[in-house]
Amino acid sequence: MIRKLQNKFILISMLSMLLVLTIIMASISIINYQKVVQDAEHVLHILSENNGEFPRNHPPKADNLPVPKEPRSYSSYMSPEMPYETRYFSVLISNDGSVLSANIEKVAAIDSKDASDYALRIWKQRKLSGFLSSYRYLKKSVPDGTLIIFVDCRRSLATFGTFLFSSILVSLLGLFSVFVLVFLFSRLVMKPVSESYEKQRRFITDAGHEIKTPLTIIDANREILEMEYGENEWSKSIGRQTLRLTKLTNSLIYLSQMEESKKKLNYTDFSISDLASEMADSFQVLANMQEKHFSTKITPLLSYHGNEDSIRRLFSILLDNAMKYSPPQGSIHVTLDKRGKNIRFMVYNTAKSISPESLPRLFDRFYRTDESRNSETGGYGIGLSIARAVTQAHKGKISAESKDGHSLLITVTL
């Protein structure tokens, strides 16, 4: 249990770290990409204001300009170095879709034919601006037709891609470093929990053994009193409650031992089909006495390598649970089969009412679906906890489901 808790702690920590890094990286990438688009749009609007070219006479720096009464044009914010840093071209297309001219003086990567092909592809679209390959374009209506201006953003996009790749690489390295640190420090974090759990387990085991002694003495004294004065209702009550406490104590000790990670069970090969048939036959008699329908479907000649006594107790707990909580005239069905390399044992029983919220808690200690917690069924709310412990000790899985709210199916996969 402590190992699972430690793994959950590591998983939650890493997922939280991954989520934070993802949000940070996504935010930075979006901002950088928007910056690339914004710079390209700024250049395109300057070219658009000057019919596909930069103005011949560069305006003075924006910081030295007097405050205008009217909003400045995009050209007012142009850097003097911009015409020499920018690679661009423009194509003029008539209203009928023919190329009138192509200005490719400021770009060397494409020729007139490529420029015309790019422009015609954009002219057929409704979008006024966007990306075509590594070029950002802008469409402008002019008296002769449509002027389409392209700005080469290859360098900006390459810088953006390099930064993104480097950021992802650094994030992965950081994530791995955090994983190593969390893995190392998780042991320190889990140490108090592990010690507390070990003390609790040891207390249950020690207290259980200590309680068994006075219970044995009480039961022995009861028998002596019955021999001396005869059996009566009080001695019967003492006997019943002593037996009940003895069973509960033994169950707690057994559960504590099964949950002990260092405990090693003696595994042998045995016929699990014969074991399931034997257990089912013993409960068949009880079902007939209680007028309940009991059926089985057990695949013969199935063998299993495990602790036979523990598996026997597992089957007994599940069958006993089905018998106790099935209503009068109810149905119980037992299945044992093989699915691939796994052996599956299923116990189905009808029930009065089972809420979906109670299913995940069925295997918790002392949990009972009956909130009044009366003792009519004779249960302690610990049987399914033992079943889960036995299953986990055999590296298996156990689950409970209820499709209609009036039946319970417990499946054990070994």
Side-chain angles (χ1 to χ4, degrees):
M1 188 187 79
I2 300 301
R3 177 58 63 85
K4 288 185 177 180
L5 186 61
Q6 181 181 358
N7 292 339
K8 287 183 180 180
F9 173 77
I10 295 174
L11 179 62
I12 292 174
S13 300
M14 296 310 300
L15 288 178
S16 301
M17 186 66 182
L18 179 62
L19 179 61
V20 171
L21 286 176
T22 302
I23 293 175
I24 293 175
M25 291 305 306
S27 302
I28 294 176
S29 299
I30 291 174
I31 293 173
N32 288 339
Y33 183 77
Q34 291 296 330
K35 177 63 176 174
V36 172
V37 173
Q38 183 180 358
D39 291 345
E41 289 287 334
H42 179 66
V43 174
L44 285 171
H45 281 92
I46 293 176
L47 295 172
S48 175
E49 289 178 348
N50 296 274
N51 295 320
E53 295 183 352
F54 284 106
R56 298 289 182 179
N57 298 321
H58 304 314
K61 292 184 179 180
D63 294 339
N64 300 327
L65 289 175
V67 179
K69 296 181 180 180
E70 299 296 332
R72 299 173 185 170
S73 64
Y74 286 95
S75 300
S76 302
Y77 296 91
M78 188 184 76
S79 168
E81 301 295 331
M82 186 178 293
Y84 305 100
E85 297 174 345
T86 307
R87 295 291 176 263
Y88 64 94
F89 65 94
S90 61
V91 178
L92 180 63
I93 300 179
S94 64
N95 294 327
D96 60 359
S98 60
V99 177
L100 300 178
S101 63
N103 183 2
I104 58 172
E105 295 180 358
K106 299 298 182 179
V107 65
I110 62 173
D111 54 18
S112 299
K113 183 178 182 305
D114 293 333
S116 301
D117 292 340
Y118 281 4
L120 288 174
R121 288 172 60 183
I122 300 304
W123 182 77
K124 296 177 182 179
Q125 299 177 5
R126 295 182 179 180
K127 294 176 61 177
L128 298 178
S129 64
F131 270 105
L132 179 62
S133 184
S134 59
Y135 295 98
R136 185 77 181 179
Y137 65 86
L138 177 68
K139 294 167 66 174
K140 178 186 178 182
S141 296
V142 294
D144 296 334
T146 302
L147 179 65
I148 304 177
I149 308 170
F150 296 85
V151 172
D152 188 356
C153 300
R154 191 171 306 163
R155 183 180 301 175
S156 300
L157 292 175
T159 303
F160 168 75
T162 301
F163 176 81
L164 180 61
F165 176 78
S166 302
S167 301
I168 294 176
L169 182 60
V170 172
S171 298
L172 291 177
L173 292 175
L175 196 64
F176 177 75
S177 301
V178 171
F179 170 76
V180 173
L181 292 175
V182 171
F183 178 78
L184 294 177
F185 287 110
S186 63
R187 297 182 180 180
L188 297 177
V189 175
M190 292 294 112
K191 187 175 181 180
V193 180
S194 177
E195 292 177 350
S196 176
Y197 177 76
E198 181 63 24
K199 290 178 181 179
Q200 176 188 1
R201 189 198 61 78
R202 192 181 303 116
F203 169 77
I204 293 175
T205 304
D206 296 343
H209 286 296
E210 292 296 328
I211 291 174
K212 289 175 68 176
T213 301
L215 287 176
T216 303
I217 295 174
I218 291 173
D219 193 54
N221 291 337
R222 177 191 62 83
E223 293 179 355
I224 293 175
L225 288 175
E226 286 183 347
M227 293 172 59
E228 189 75 22
Y229 300 102
E231 189 179 55
N232 53 55
E233 58 179 313
W234 294 283
S235 65
K236 290 181 180 179
S237 177
I238 292 173
R240 287 194 300 269
Q241 298 306 321
T242 302
L243 179 61
R244 180 178 174 84
L245 281 175
T246 301
K247 289 183 178 180
L248 176 58
T249 303
N250 291 334
S251 296
L252 285 172
I253 295 174
Y254 183 82
L255 176 60
S256 180
Q257 292 175 344
M258 291 301 302
E259 290 181 342
E260 185 178 358
S261 57
K262 297 181 180 179
K263 181 179 177 61
K264 293 184 178 180
L265 300 174
N266 294 323
Y267 284 8
T268 58
D269 292 324
F270 63 94
S271 174
I272 196 170
S273 297
D274 293 343
L275 177 59
S277 299
E278 176 188 340
M279 299 301 300
D281 291 341
S282 62
F283 279 90
Q284 176 76 65
V285 177
L286 182 60
N288 293 336
M289 293 175 58
Q290 297 181 6
E291 298 182 351
K292 296 180 180 180
H293 178 70
F294 191 95
S295 60
T296 61
K297 185 180 180 182
I298 299 175
T299 303
L301 302 177
L302 292 181
S303 61
Y304 182 66
H305 184 75
N307 185 268
E308 185 174 357
D309 292 336
S310 298
I311 299 299
R312 182 185 300 274
R313 186 157 191 163
L314 169 64
F315 288 178
S316 177
I317 288 172
L318 297 183
L319 290 170
D320 183 63
N321 185 79
M323 290 296 301
K324 286 178 180 177
Y325 295 101
S326 59
Q329 309 298 325
S331 299
I332 301 167
H333 184 70
V334 180
T335 303
L336 178 73
D337 56 17
K338 190 172 184 180
R339 286 292 182 270
K341 296 182 179 180
N342 299 324
I343 290 178
R344 188 177 61 174
F345 182 73
M346 297 185 296
V347 178
Y348 167 88
N349 67 276
T350 54
K352 292 182 180 179
S353 178
I354 296 179
S355 61
E357 295 81 10
S358 65
L359 291 176
R361 301 184 57 193
L362 285 180
F363 302 100
D364 293 346
R365 291 185 185 183
F366 302 109
Y367 177 77
R368 296 172 65 181
T369 55
D370 182 10
E371 297 181 357
S372 65
R373 303 188 65 83
N374 59 55
S375 58
E376 291 179 1
T377 59
Y380 314 108
I382 198 173
L384 291 181
S385 299
I386 296 177
R388 179 177 62 181
V390 172
T391 304
Q392 292 177 347
H394 287 78
K395 310 299 182 183
K397 296 181 180 180
I398 186 170
S399 61
E401 62 176 309
S402 178
K403 295 183 178 180
D404 54 7
H406 294 281
S407 63
L408 178 64
L409 175 63
I410 297 182
T411 303
V412 176
T413 304
L414 300 172

